[in-house]
Amino acid sequence: VYQIPEGAFSDKKSLVKCVLPDKLEAICKNAFVNTSLTGTIQLPEGLKYVAGFEDTKITNVQFPSTLEEIGNSAFRDCSSLMCEISFPASLKKIGELAFYSSAIKGNLALPEGLEYIGRSAFFYCTDLTGSLTIPNGIKTIYSESFRSCGFTGNLTLPMGLEEIGRQAFESTKFKGELNIPSTVTTIDV
């Protein structure tokens, strides 16, 4: 497996640009954490797993069509990441705190094949707007997943949803009618 291992370039303040190689399959936890990476990160085709850009100065990220998982804290605290995110159809999992307190903005379109959104995945993404549709593959919306997001439209929950975690949508500005599916057995408080 071609990968950038955990912590490979962490805390390298002199690192401002990185061109990623073809054949790369994984970028592991903390690979680029707390570096001075800036600008657009073009993730290569073939990449299946990404994490490790926490607390960088990147302004945009382009995901490949092969991506299956965004790891825990992957883009956490990326306050310069002021772009609209476009996820590939291949994405199955968004880990805990993946975009926590990042500056992503605009509409958030989650791919239909998505199966997991971790705890606090989009917590405090205040520049997200519009409506949100949770894909049908999601059975649990974990605590604080979308807390303090700036959504201004409708929230659509999927049939088959079973659980809504504590404060999952606290301090969001959704409007309109909310239909909670009959399959929901737990709403944590």
Side-chain angles (χ1 to χ4, degrees):
V1 173
Y2 293 99
Q3 67 177 11
I4 298 175
E6 182 174 339
F9 301 100
S10 65
D11 297 313
K12 303 281 191 263
K13 291 293 186 186
S14 60
L15 183 61
V16 295
K17 184 175 180 174
C18 182
V19 177
L20 299 168
D22 293 337
K23 296 185 180 181
L24 190 62
E25 295 178 17
I27 299 173
C28 297
K29 178 174 127 181
N30 296 329
F32 296 98
V33 68
N34 203 27
T35 63
S36 296
L37 276 180
T38 188
T40 296
I41 295 294
Q42 174 71 53
L43 299 175
E45 283 298 319
L47 189 75
K48 294 178 181 174
Y49 175 85
V50 64
F53 289 95
E54 179 179 351
D55 199 23
T56 60
K57 295 172 180 24
I58 60 173
T59 56
N60 193 356
V61 60
Q62 296 175 352
F63 296 111
S65 64
T66 54
L67 189 67
E68 296 173 0
E69 182 177 349
I70 297 173
N72 295 348
S73 299
F75 298 96
R76 179 180 179 170
D77 294 321
C78 287
S79 58
S80 298
L81 188 58
M82 295 183 272
C83 64
E84 191 163 324
I85 296 291
S86 179
F87 295 118
S90 60
L91 188 64
K92 301 290 183 212
K93 181 178 179 181
I94 298 174
E96 294 182 0
L97 304 159
F99 292 93
Y100 175 91
S101 196
S102 71
I104 58 174
K105 64 181 181 179
N107 291 314
L108 183 64
L110 299 172
E112 192 55 45
L114 192 65
E115 298 170 354
Y116 177 88
I117 302 169
R119 177 185 58 83
S120 303
F122 295 96
F123 186 164
Y124 207 65
C125 291
T126 58
D127 293 325
L128 289 173
T129 58
S131 296
L132 177 65
T133 299
I134 305 295
N136 289 326
I138 300 294
K139 301 298 179 207
T140 300
I141 300 172
Y142 291 94
S143 65
E144 301 178 328
S145 291
F146 298 97
R147 182 177 178 183
S148 299
C149 287
F151 296 110
T152 54
N154 295 319
L155 171 62
T156 304
L157 300 175
M159 289 307 297
L161 183 66
E162 298 170 0
E163 182 177 350
I164 300 173
R166 182 181 54 82
Q167 301 171 322
F169 300 102
E170 182 178 314
S171 300
T172 58
K173 298 175 181 131
F174 288 115
K175 61 183 178 184
E177 185 175 301
L178 175 64
N179 293 310
I180 298 174
S182 60
T183 54
V184 172
T185 57
T186 304
I187 300 176
D188 201 356
V189 289

